[in-house]
Amino acid sequence: MFNGSEEISMEDAANRVKTGIPGFDELCGGGLIRDRTYLVSGTSGAGKTIFSIQFIYNGIVNHGENGIIVATEERPEQIRENMLNFGWDLQALEDEGKLAIIDACSTKIGIPSQEKYVDVRPFDTRSMMDQIIATQEEIDAKRALVDSTTSISFYLHDPARIRVELLKLSTTLEIIGLTSMMTCEIIDESKPSRFGVENFVTDGTFALYYDRRDNVRSRSVEIYKMRGSDHSKKVHPYDIEKEGFVIHPHEEVYTSF
Ligand SMILES: Nc1ncnc2c1ncn2[C@@H]1O[C@H](COP(=O)(O)OP(=O)(O)OP(=O)(O)O)[C@@H](O)[C@H]1O
Ligand SMILES: [Mg+2]
């Protein structure tokens, strides 16, 4: 069992950006490295959106670190409604100027948006970066989420272009002082990303698995990579409970790949 205390100093652990997701920070030396970008990959319904919004929500509520969510696949109003199930009142945080949700979904599908923050050129990563930079200045954000990268990647199609554009995006987030997560939809759980490049342009990859064995599905998480840090090399079960993700760091599961 990984025990971060031997490899990571107390000082280093204290400087980490806490996700506050129960059980997760202790798997990666006390939290994320500040101003780095992490990929959260998983199949449909694995929990990528809930996991990464829990990181943003905890940052605001428990650490005074404001957050930005770029929503490319779900309209902000659906996200607000879904997250209320966990008691996370995103609208209240937006009203207090602590959270900004950028609607990068409506324009893409050709419907009007009533949102305060709208990405009008959602397939253009330059436009997305400009919007994030402006929003970060406005609300002094320290954490960000791009959920998800997959529609941008489908649009770009060519893995070489996807790699360059996502590298520009992740580097921009880091330079402007955001500790970030980007999600990536996968269809094959034996691979850490959809186009085989997303995990190379991010500093870490967290894989969420949603396996079926016989007639039951079970959930587990693996820290597939984390540059600059030791971390658990095991696959740990998690549950989605009424307060969100709960990871069981002292239990292990065995995957078939
Ligand atoms: N209130 C809840 N309590 C327990 N589990 C829930 C709750 N709400 C959602 N879930 C579980 O979480 C799943 C959705 O999680 P989430 O939206 O984070 O997945 P995702 O990986 O982002 O999926 P997608 O790729 O479709 O965007 C649901 O399919 C359901 O299994
Ligand atoms: Mg999602």
Side-chain angles (χ1 to χ4, degrees):
M1 177 65 212
F2 167 79
N3 176 352
S5 58
E6 312 96 66
E7 295 87 359
I8 292 158
S9 72
M10 297 287 281
E11 190 187 345
D12 189 17
N15 288 333
R16 294 293 178 103
V17 176
K18 311 286 177 213
T19 66
I21 296 168
F24 188 77
D25 292 326
E26 67 180 271
L27 298 179
C28 55
L32 310 184
I33 300 176
R34 189 165 294 283
D35 300 345
R36 302 280 185 104
T37 309
Y38 296 88
L39 190 72
V40 179
S41 72
T43 51
S44 175
K48 302 178 292 297
T49 298
I50 298 169
F51 179 89
S52 44
I53 291 184
Q54 196 164 349
F55 158 71
I56 297 289
Y57 181 85
N58 288 341
I60 299 168
V61 170
N62 299 325
H63 301 284
E65 297 192 345
N66 292 349
I68 298 171
I69 298 171
V70 182
T72 74
E73 297 292 305
E74 284 178 87
R75 284 179 292 120
E77 62 189 79
Q78 293 169 316
I79 294 177
R80 292 184 192 104
E81 196 178 314
N82 293 344
M83 296 307 128
L84 263 184
N85 288 321
F86 303 108
W88 307 336
D89 188 347
L90 301 185
Q91 184 69 64
L93 300 179
E94 293 175 80
D95 294 345
E96 292 171 41
K98 296 176 177 173
L99 171 68
I101 306 181
I102 300 173
D103 182 355
C105 176
S106 300
T107 318
K108 191 174 73 181
I109 56 176
I111 58 169
S113 175
Q114 309 302 322
E115 295 294 327
K116 180 175 178 191
Y117 303 97
V118 182
D119 187 351
V120 289
R121 299 208 306 275
F123 292 115
D124 179 344
T125 41
R126 181 70 250 172
S127 154
M128 184 183 285
M129 285 186 273
D130 288 344
Q131 182 94 49
I132 293 171
I133 292 166
T135 310
Q136 199 251 355
E137 281 172 5
E138 188 179 326
I139 69 163
D140 188 27
K142 297 281 185 278
R143 299 186 184 201
L145 160 65
V146 178
D147 185 24
S148 83
T149 60
T150 307
S151 57
I152 305 165
S153 302
F154 267 113
Y155 180 76
L156 296 169
H157 191 67
D158 172 19
R161 284 193 65 205
I162 297 169
R163 188 167 178 152
V164 170
E165 291 303 315
L166 292 184
L167 181 61
K168 280 189 214 165
L169 182 57
S170 64
T171 307
T172 303
L173 296 173
E174 295 177 11
I175 288 171
I176 66 174
L178 290 165
T179 308
S180 308
M181 291 188 182
M182 304 201 296
T183 65
C184 171
E185 299 156 19
I186 56 169
I187 43 177
D188 177 352
E189 291 198 330
S190 68
K191 298 195 173 80
S193 61
R194 181 62 168 263
F195 292 89
V197 295
E198 300 93 322
N199 49 305
F200 289 104
V201 295
T202 41
D203 293 298
T205 302
F206 309 141
L208 303 180
Y209 302 120
Y210 191 34
D211 294 327
R212 200 183 87 168
R213 299 261 163 85
D214 301 323
N215 64 344
V216 176
R217 279 194 183 272
S218 62
R219 298 181 185 278
S220 58
V221 60
E222 176 183 16
I223 300 176
Y224 185 88
K225 150 178 136 170
M226 190 156 173
R227 288 180 186 152
S229 180
D230 199 6
H231 57 85
S232 170
K233 313 298 184 304
K234 293 178 175 152
V235 181
H236 300 276
Y238 70 85
D239 292 310
I240 301 177
E241 300 186 353
K242 64 179 191 317
E243 292 90 13
F245 262 64
V246 177
I247 291 155
H248 306 292
H250 305 292
E251 295 172 33
E252 298 167 29
V253 292
Y254 299 92
T255 59
S256 52
F257 46 82

